[in-house]
Amino acid sequence: MSHIIVLGAGLGGTIMAYEMRDRLRRSDRLTVVTLGTSFAFIPSNPWVAVGWRQRDEVTVDLSDIFKRRGIDLRPEGAKRVHPNQNRLELNDGSFIGYDYLIIATGPDLAFDEVPGLGPDGHTHSICHIDHALATRERFEAFLREPGPIVIGAVQGASCYGPAYEFAFILDTALRRARVRDRVPMTFVTPEPYIGHLGLDGVGDTKGLLESAMRDRHIKWITNAKVTSVEAGTMHVEEVNDDGSTKARQDLPFAFSMMLPAFRGVDAVRGIEGLVNPRGFVTIDKHQRNPAYPNIFSIGVCVAIPPVGKTPLPVGVPKTGFMIESMVTATAQNISALLRGEEPTAVATWNAVCLADFGDEGIAFVAQPQIPPRNVNWSSQGRWVHTAKIGFEKYFLHKVRQGKSETFYEALALDMLGIKKLKAIHNEPAE
Ligand SMILES: Cc1cc2nc3c(=O)[nH]c(=O)nc-3n(C[C@H](O)[C@H](O)[C@H](O)COP(=O)(O)OP(=O)(O)OC[C@H]3O[C@@H](n4cnc5c(N)ncnc54)[C@H](O)[C@@H]3O)c2cc1C
């Protein structure tokens, strides 16, 4: 009998538990240690923040589903991983031992790295369901008294898609509310160009996103470092290619959402051999930590080096498709070890993304993630908005059902799906 623990029940950890359960022997024990009993589908948060989704539409209580699937749930959360003792210290002071640990905690949101940033400061967030609900309250008040908006991501961020999505979704929501003409919008990003996305662009994401921003009257500042935020003003330093200061701007805002940099969570940060200096879990190509070979990691909490040098730090995104492939590789590798075999499965780590604009959107596929690529494709259309809703419905359905099957893989590899969606919207297939 072996005991496997999955730490974190988010987008990666939940399907990790389902897929691991499918592969374990009846005698093996599987426990998920997470914060609370609720799963939240983070990709829906931009919709939550403008009132297009309610909390209960994008969250799932895992207690009964896990019980049905034979998965123990520990909602206390982990205070610290003790890899030399093969055990976790939980937030209630108790300990729980493991034979294999899969770390899937997602990120810690490093708002404190920029003075005045974040929900405890002067900008809003969509990174957590509670943040998105608070943002929505502020947005509703803003609609009664509109003013300038600043949206974007700060230096060191590694998740740019949702920043673009939220800018375009706000534009759509403001037009529908008939107040867009009273709202100057500025997009602020450390990326060296619009559409870089931490991936040095994919297909023509630069052209597509710049054009969409021009179309929707959203101004932008790239190579932008946010130095601090005070009530109603964001202080931004624009840098040259060599990192020297090009210009300083004080941007007034009545509403702002900025994505923070990510780092590893407290429970693992600083553990020698387990994590890198930012607290991300170091793994080999089999998702396995080299220093502690009974620890695996998946999702946003794994360490991935940046794609190339940029004047300001720009991290690589870890999106749903990549996470699903990490999950499958990890489940295969742990079940191989349980059979006494060596792990051989390798995640594909390709980037496949649907960026919703609220009425249309942009999709891209990068295979492999680092250029030059075999597939370097991007496309724009109303079908992307439909596909994003499909992704949400399908993912939540499989969480409720206790199933682990992949969605993005099917979407990316079976381009037929995209052709069908384009046909529904009468858009030409490429
Ligand atoms: C706003 C936003 C929108 C996004 N939209 C998309 C999208 O449309 N498509 C896409 O492919 N990707 C998207 N992403 C990127 C990525 O897919 C998501 O962030 C995804 O949720 C990451 O999954 P994860 O399992 O790594 O982390 P999470 O989903 O964040 O889950 C981590 C889990 O670990 C738990 N946890 C944390 N600390 C502890 C602890 N100490 N003990 C126990 N449990 C802990 C958390 O409570 C949480 O349940 C988006 C990201 C953001 C921020």
Side-chain angles (χ1 to χ4, degrees), residues 359-422:
D359 46 5
E360 52 152 349
I362 284 178
F364 57 84
V365 180
Q367 295 181 336
Q369 197 186 43
I370 298 180
R373 305 184 174 116
N374 296 319
V375 181
N376 189 42
W377 175 89
S378 56
S379 180
Q380 182 171 6
R382 279 178 295 150
W383 67 270
V384 179
H385 179 62
T386 309
K388 185 89 190 211
I389 295 171
F391 169 46
E392 176 198 54
K393 301 276 175 260
Y394 183 78
F395 205 98
L396 284 162
H397 173 76
K398 73 180 181 179
V399 169
R400 289 190 186 104
Q401 295 295 305
K403 285 188 195 161
S404 66
E405 63 210 24
T406 52
F407 167 83
Y408 263 137
E409 191 128 23
L411 180 71
L413 303 181
D414 179 7
M415 290 295 182
L416 199 63
I418 289 177
K419 283 188 190 142
K420 274 187 197 149
L421 280 166
K422 286 187 160 191

Side-chain angles (χ1 to χ4, degrees), residues 3 7 15 46 55 67 115 126 148 153 158 173 227 247 289 317 344 388 425:
H3 184 202
L7 181 58
I15 54 169
R55 181 194 281 271
K67 196 180 280 177
I126 52 169
S158 50
T227 51
N289 177 256
T344 54
K388 185 89 190 211
H425 291 287

Side-chain angles (χ1 to χ4, degrees), residues 7-13 33-35 42-43 77-78 104-107 126-127 159 162 265 267 299-300 318-320 323 388 391 408:
L7 181 58
L11 189 140
V33 175
T34 191
L35 292 164
I42 288 176
T105 54
I126 52 169
C127 290
C159 188
V265 300
V300 170
K318 296 145 202 168
T319 56
I323 296 172
K388 185 89 190 211
F391 169 46
Y408 263 137

Side-chain angles (χ1 to χ4, degrees), residues 83-235:
N84 290 316
Q85 301 161 15
N86 293 326
R87 61 181 192 160
L88 298 183
E89 182 181 354
L90 304 191
N91 283 326
D92 66 356
S94 62
F95 287 84
I96 175 169
Y98 59 82
D99 297 296
Y100 291 96
L101 173 67
I102 304 162
I103 301 176
T105 54
D108 183 49
L109 307 170
F111 291 114
D112 54 294
E113 291 178 348
V114 177
L117 187 75
D120 293 334
H122 308 290
T123 60
H124 283 82
S125 163
I126 52 169
C127 290
H128 190 281
I129 179 74
D130 294 338
H131 296 172
L133 285 161
T135 302
R136 172 194 183 152
E137 263 183 45
R138 172 69 197 111
F139 181 62
E140 279 164 6
F142 171 85
L143 287 178
R144 292 190 288 276
E145 211 172 320
I149 282 183
V150 177
I151 299 293
V154 307
Q155 55 280 9
S158 50
C159 188
Y160 295 92
Y164 287 99
E165 277 196 320
F166 196 50
F168 290 121
I169 286 170
L170 279 177
D171 168 76
T172 303
L174 293 168
R175 276 188 285 115
R176 286 182 188 163
R178 299 255 164 229
V179 295
R180 181 65 181 90
D181 57 331
R182 292 157 65 191
V183 182
M185 285 179 78
T186 309
F187 189 83
V188 171
T189 177
E191 297 160 279
Y193 57 85
I194 289 296
H196 179 286
L197 300 164
L199 294 164
D200 201 2
V202 184
D204 190 28
T205 47
K206 179 176 191 293
L208 291 173
L209 285 165
E210 279 187 358
S211 160
M213 285 201 169
R214 271 190 293 268
D215 256 10
R216 291 168 184 247
H217 304 282
I218 302 173
K219 294 201 164 85
W220 65 78
I221 307 173
T222 52
N223 278 333
K225 178 178 177 185
V226 178
T227 51
S228 66
V229 190
E230 8 172 354
T233 311
M234 189 174 299
H235 302 289

Side-chain angles (χ1 to χ4, degrees), residues 19-38:
E19 188 149 350
M20 203 66 251
R21 186 70 270 174
D22 289 342
R23 288 174 183 276
L24 288 178
R25 300 160 299 194
R26 202 177 268 271
S27 57
D28 294 321
R29 209 176 126 209
L30 178 62
T31 301
V32 173
V33 175
T34 191
L35 292 164
T37 61
S38 181

